[in-house]
Amino acid sequence: QKEVEQDPGPLSVPEGAIVSLNCTYSNSAFQYFMWYRQYSRKGPELLMYTYSSGNKEDGRFTAQVDKSSKYISLFIRDSQPSDSATYLCAMSDSGGSNYKLTFGKGTLLTVNP
Amino acid sequence: DTEVTQTPKHLVMGMTNKKSLKCEQHMGHRAMYWYKQKAKKPPELMFVYSYEKLSINESVPSRFSPECPNSSLLNLHLHALQPEDSALYLCASSQQGFSNQPQHFGDGTRLSIL
């Protein structure tokens, strides 16, 4: 079993839809959770950064962490064509000096006008 | 625009060439990273520098040689690369070298080996 599982999609939705992107993980030491957005031919852009369980909202984006289920989600409300990108979840442990992020494979999202 | 700047954006080189990739950040971050990303895959960590010292080398072949001249600059020297080394090379930085700090990525150098 991989440490982080993410459905690669592709996911295609109409403009204005609510999008739900998800990752599951197996390592209970993961405490810090990130979502990156990567446009074609660009580097990953940090969208959301959350610690442990709970929700965090930023504009149209909401990150949700459920540590009991080892499950994280990113919700995009009122999706726009400009949201079309690959979304990568990433997570890390309790902050030691091992530097490592563990990434999901990424989900390719297309929002159709 | 990202706060981590990488040059060049594209590079084509032969297997016998020597070239260098450059990364610069002015966020005052003290940890810098090199990643390799193949198409439709997540980034794979190659090297980590913390306070200008090499902290992690993820068993990367010696044809890749990193260098950190100062806290804002990171170079990746390339020599005798193989076609399978063609990929997007990403630089990232974080405030310090702890895994609980988010990493900020540049837009990468797209490298093609002929």
Side-chain angles (χ1 to χ4, degrees):
Chain A
Q1 182 188 12
K2 288 187 182 296
E3 275 196 299
V4 179
E5 300 274 5
Q6 182 177 8
D7 186 342
L11 182 61
S12 181
V13 302
E15 183 175 354
I18 297 174
V19 176
S20 172
L21 304 168
N22 311 296
C23 289
T24 59
Y25 62 95
S26 58
N27 187 347
S28 57
F30 287 146
Q31 300 276 348
Y32 299 88
F33 304 93
M34 286 139 271
W35 286 95
Y36 287 89
R37 176 175 63 193
Q38 187 171 21
Y39 291 115
S40 180
R41 301 189 175 277
K42 295 286 190 180
E45 172 193 4
L46 181 67
L47 269 183
M48 301 289 277
Y49 172 65
T50 56
Y51 167 68
S52 197
S53 286
N55 292 356
K56 182 176 180 179
E57 190 172 319
D58 184 0
R60 296 184 295 110
F61 298 90
T62 300
Q64 194 172 76
V65 174
D66 182 349
K67 288 198 70 189
S68 61
S69 303
K70 296 192 178 67
Y71 187 88
I72 68 169
S73 300
L74 178 71
F75 297 97
I76 307 174
R77 290 185 299 280
D78 187 25
S79 56
Q80 302 294 309
S82 58
D83 295 327
S84 299
T86 296
Y87 290 80
L88 292 152
C89 65
M91 45 198 81
S92 64
D93 64 18
S94 57
S97 57
N98 65 7
Y99 309 102
K100 286 193 177 184
L101 294 181
T102 302
F103 287 92
K105 286 189 172 183
T107 300
L108 178 60
L109 171 68
T110 300
V111 180
N112 300 299
Chain B
D1 290 339
T2 65
E3 294 180 271
V4 177
T5 305
Q6 291 188 244
T7 54
K9 293 191 187 307
H10 303 277
L11 180 62
V12 179
M13 58 187 286
M15 289 192 283
T16 58
N17 293 155
K18 286 185 181 181
K19 296 284 184 185
S20 297
L21 310 184
K22 182 179 172 182
C23 173
E24 194 167 2
Q25 59 88 13
H26 294 290
M27 294 180 282
H29 289 175
R30 301 311 301 269
M32 296 185 76
Y33 310 77
W34 280 115
Y35 285 85
K36 174 182 178 180
Q37 187 178 27
K38 300 285 266 185
K40 300 185 191 296
K41 300 284 188 186
E44 296 175 27
L45 184 65
M46 299 175 70
F47 301 103
V48 180
Y49 274 83
S50 177
Y51 291 85
E52 296 102 70
K53 292 191 188 316
L54 183 64
S55 299
I56 289 183
N57 175 339
E58 289 286 301
S59 303
V60 179
S62 60
R63 57 186 185 268
F64 296 91
S65 175
E67 178 195 19
C68 188
N70 60 55
S71 60
S72 301
L73 280 175
L74 188 65
N75 298 321
L76 186 63
H77 303 296
L78 314 173
H79 173 54
L81 295 194
Q82 304 297 308
E84 62 266 26
D85 297 323
S86 297
L88 180 68
Y89 287 84
L90 293 162
C91 174
S93 69
S94 65
Q95 194 168 13
Q96 292 170 312
F98 300 121
S99 59
N100 63 347
Q101 294 169 344
Q103 295 177 23
H104 300 265
F105 287 83
D107 280 336
T109 294
R110 191 161 298 277
L111 176 66
S112 297
I113 307 299
L114 301 178

